[in-house]
């Protein structure tokens, strides 16, 4: 049946918490939505539906760090090699996995089978190529290279080896005689394969170049990738070539790990326990492949530091898949900025590839739509191979071999990503849509207040399978997660199309960030065509909710001053925000410094600005308070508000009173005694002008101009004729007071 979606209905607000007036819904219903979760026995189809995955069987558990190479034989046998103990294993249906050989070096990065079924293995670092045949291993060729990354056997028995750190390709005859076949000029040759015409292909690092080797010292560049490393090459029967390119410089990381492992091995340090699922004695029975004890080696040298990798644009893809057509045209197939792609195989019309995101395996259809087939839940799925109708996957971090034989999993679990409600939330209902022809779906939730689920989170809730009883029982919290178990029945397994969780976040309190009070003309001067600010305002300030203020030449909280000169309005502006994005409404109050109660200046202001006639305020110091409320978006019980009070604002609309006492004559000079007084603010500057000339500053009698009453003295030479002397004093608000005297 198909489960219909429902309208989400939420319970009323609890008394202990104030929740926002409208509910929210977190819905997962697309491929990208579901891809962020974790899969265990569950697949994600190309059209974004969750269903049971193919059954993932554990074929072998090595207990080692990782499986580096994987090859399959015509009889269905699978050979794989590991690190950091450099071992080679064999798996075959109906038999226990058997360890064939342990290399003298810690890593075996490369395996190859020739047409006769002879197995070759390349060890690293400072390794050699070994030939494993008829139950015995023998040194086959020593290229004298640091790393052997890949091996490829031609039909005529010739073996090619990809090496580093010199970026060479070696050709080794069936008799074990080797020569340098091509020098790429790169640091590492990371992959080898033969195309449909038997020509050798080679991928490199750090410039991500794919070569077609056409003969000794002759090559053609098929593709120069923007990514540093060509990780895998797979030819197709139609002449096409598929390649996997990655930006993680995997070869460099493996090289560093191999050098470290070699140091530890030389010092006798064991870092990994081996727990092969096969019986060790049975695995070795009749196989004479263990190396003989070697004399003590000298202390190993420090591992080489690989050359620096080229710079990579972090906004570009992390990995990509390409198809190179027989006419050499390159077609991008898939790319990712989050996952590294490690290997790929072609099965019929589809392309299968593996990544490092929980060891995922994807299937890419001919129309280039990807489906997440299965997660191995290991760190990386390093290699893929096909044998006897099954797909085999090798992993690292835990070196395991998995098998997918096409049968569906018996049960599967999908775990969603964590959702952040932004604040403490009350959970509503969990609803889903999908198809259940047989079997069942069981949903659970858990919640917590840390971004990552940990011991502080709630336990998973009881499973819910009935769509009619789907209220979320997890406790109120900021974060939530759901998971579903898919259990098949006798018919097709259930399929999930979408899952939605409704919730009501706690209503966050709005915040008033800043208040600014300026004369109307000072606000207008911010506009492009406004005139320059006149001298009638000493300075303006912006105060924030942290108590910080704008620039001031004095310490402490400055007092803003507002003068009468040139303006009739006060302009108020403020900044406020709401954590929930609610629409805010404001009220503006004021009180004088000597008053106790706030007076409402304006209520229900919907903008964050307001203008007021300045004349309604007498001279003095005032405080202004802005209150922000989110009541327009919330119920009266849930609405919240906050306010911010400005520092004192000095309103001074009265200029100073300036008096010039009776001038007196002393010898050849006139002496003028000047008095300046202001009732509201201190005198800040005094100056004089003679006969309309430039202003010249006056010094206060006490040496500093800072009081509400100041005395000044002016001496002028006694000259013939008449002179007009004007004295100007300015208060802290910039209001000018003037006086004039005529000297004859």
């Amino acid at each position: 049946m198909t489960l219909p979606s429902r309208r989400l209905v939420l319970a009323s607000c609890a008394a202990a918490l104030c929740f926002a007036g409208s509910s929210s819904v977190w819905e997962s219903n697309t491929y990208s939505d579901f891809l962020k979760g974790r899969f265990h026995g569950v697949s994600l189809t190309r059209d974004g539906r969750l269903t049971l995955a193919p059954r993932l069987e554990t074929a072998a558990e090595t207990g080692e760090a990782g499986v580096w190479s994987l090859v399959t034989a015509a009889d269905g046998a699978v050979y794989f090699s590991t690190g950091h103990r450099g071992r080679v294993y064999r798996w075959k249906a109906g038999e226990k996995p058997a360890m064939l050989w342990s290399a003298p070096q810690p890593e075996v990065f490369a395996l190859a089978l020739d047409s006769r079924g002879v197995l070759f293995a390349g060890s690293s670092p400072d390794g050699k190529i070994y030939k494993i045949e008829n139950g015995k291993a023998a040194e086959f060729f020593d290229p004298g290279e640091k790393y052997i990354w890949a091996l490829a056997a031609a039909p005529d028995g010739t073996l090619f080896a990809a090496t580093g750190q010199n970026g060479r390709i070696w050709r080794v005859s069936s008799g074990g005689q080797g020569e340098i076949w091509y020098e790429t000029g790169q640091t590492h040759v990371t992959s080898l394969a033969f195309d449909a015409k038997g020509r050798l292909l080679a991928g490199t690092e750090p410039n991500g170049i794919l070569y077609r080797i056409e003969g000794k010292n002759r090559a053609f560049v098929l593709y120069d990738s923007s990514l540093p490393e060509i990780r895998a090459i797979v030819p197709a029967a139609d002449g096409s070539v598929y390649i996997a390119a990655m930006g993680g410089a995997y070869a460099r990381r493996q090289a560093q790990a191999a050098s470290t492992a070699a140091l530890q091995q030389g010092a006798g340090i064991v870092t990994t326990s081996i727990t092969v699922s096969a019986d060790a004695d049975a695995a070795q029975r009749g196989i004479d492949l263990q190396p003989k004890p070697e004399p003590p080696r000298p202390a190993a040298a420090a591992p080489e530091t690989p050359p620096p990798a080229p710079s990579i644009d972090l906004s570009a893809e992390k990995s990509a898949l390409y198809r190179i057509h027989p006419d050499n045209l390159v077609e991008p197939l898939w790319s990712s900025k989050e996952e590294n792609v490690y290997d790929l195989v072609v099965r019929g019309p589809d392309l299968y590839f593996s990544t490092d995101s929980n060891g995922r395996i994807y299937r890419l259809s001919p129309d280039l739509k990807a489906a997440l087939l299965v997660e191995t839940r290991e760190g990386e799925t390093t290699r893929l191979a096909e044998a006897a109708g099954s797909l085999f996957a090798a992993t690292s971090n835990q070196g395991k071999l998995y098998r997918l034989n096409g049968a569906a999993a018996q049960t599967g679990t999908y775990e969603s990503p964590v959702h952040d409600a932004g604040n403490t939330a009350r959970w509503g209902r969990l609803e889903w849509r999908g198809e259940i022809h047989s079997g069942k779906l069981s949903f659970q939730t858990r919640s917590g207040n840390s971004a990552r689920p940990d011991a502080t989170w709630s336990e998973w809730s009881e499973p819910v399978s009935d769509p009619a009883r789907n209220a979320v029982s997890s406790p109120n919290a900021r974060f939530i997660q759901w998971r579903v178990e898919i259990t098949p029945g006798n018919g097709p397994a259930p399929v999930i199309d979408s899952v939605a969780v409704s919730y009501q976040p706690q209503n966050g309190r709005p915040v008033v960030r800043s208040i600014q009070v300026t004369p109307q003309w000072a606000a207008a001067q911010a506009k492009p065509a406004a005139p320059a600010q006149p001298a009638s305002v000493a300075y303006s300030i912006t105060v924030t909710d942290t108590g910080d203020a704008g620039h001031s030449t004095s310490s402490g909280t400055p007092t803003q001053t507002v003068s009468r000169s040139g303006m009739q309005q006060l302009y108020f502006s403020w900044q406020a925000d709401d954590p929930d994005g609610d629409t805010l409404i404001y009220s503006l109050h004021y009180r004088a410094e000597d008053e106790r109660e706030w007076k409402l200046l304006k209520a229900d202001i919907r903008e964050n600005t307001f203008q007021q006639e300045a004349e309604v305020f007498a001279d003095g110091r005032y405080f202004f308070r802005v209150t922000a409320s989110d009541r327009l978006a919330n119920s009266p019980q849930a609405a919240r508000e906050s306010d911010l009070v400005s520092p004192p604002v000095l309103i001074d609309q009265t200029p100073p009173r300036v008096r010039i006492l009776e001038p007196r004559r002393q010898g050849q000079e006139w002496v003028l005694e000047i008095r300046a007084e202001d009732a509201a603010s201190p005198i800040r500057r005094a100056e004089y002008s003679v006969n309309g000339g430039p202003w010249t500053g006056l010094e206060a009698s006490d040496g500093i101009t800072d009081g509400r009453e100041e005395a000044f003295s002016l001496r002028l030479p006694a000259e013939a004729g008449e002179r007009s002397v004007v004295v100007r004093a300015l208060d802290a608000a910039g209001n000018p007071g003037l006086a004039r005297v005529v000297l004859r």
Side-chain angles (χ1 to χ4, degrees), residues 446-506:
R446 63 177 176 179
S447 60
N449 287 305
S450 57
R452 292 179 179 272
D454 55 22
T456 66
W457 275 48
S458 67
E459 298 294 329
W460 287 104
S461 64
E462 290 296 319
V464 175
S465 300
D466 185 356
R469 301 175 60 188
N470 55 352
V472 175
S473 60
S474 297
N476 297 338
R478 175 174 173 174
F479 300 94
I480 193 169
Q481 187 180 32
W482 59 265
R483 73 179 179 188
V484 60
E485 182 179 10
I486 302 176
T487 304
N490 296 326
V495 176
I496 299 172
D497 289 314
S498 70
V499 178
V501 176
S502 63
Y503 61 95
Q504 192 170 9
Q506 179 185 0

Side-chain angles (χ1 to χ4, degrees), residues 650-726:
L650 175 62
I651 296 180
D652 183 358
Q653 304 180 86
T654 305
R657 179 172 176 259
V658 180
R659 293 181 299 117
I660 303 176
L661 305 183
E662 184 68 28
R664 68 179 188 274
R665 184 77 174 264
Q666 287 186 358
Q668 297 300 314
E669 291 182 321
W670 285 102
V671 178
L672 282 71
E673 300 295 337
I674 303 161
R675 301 291 183 267
E677 302 173 4
D678 194 276
S681 63
I683 304 298
R684 292 301 186 195
R685 187 169 80 251
E687 51 200 6
Y688 72 94
S689 171
V690 178
N691 292 339
W695 293 103
T696 303
L698 288 171
E699 183 177 352
S701 298
D702 61 0
I704 181 169
T705 308
D706 63 348
R708 294 192 180 185
E709 296 183 8
E710 289 289 352
F712 303 90
S713 180
L714 172 61
R715 290 179 176 269
L716 294 174
E719 298 176 356
E722 183 180 82
R723 282 179 292 173
S724 176
V725 180
V726 176

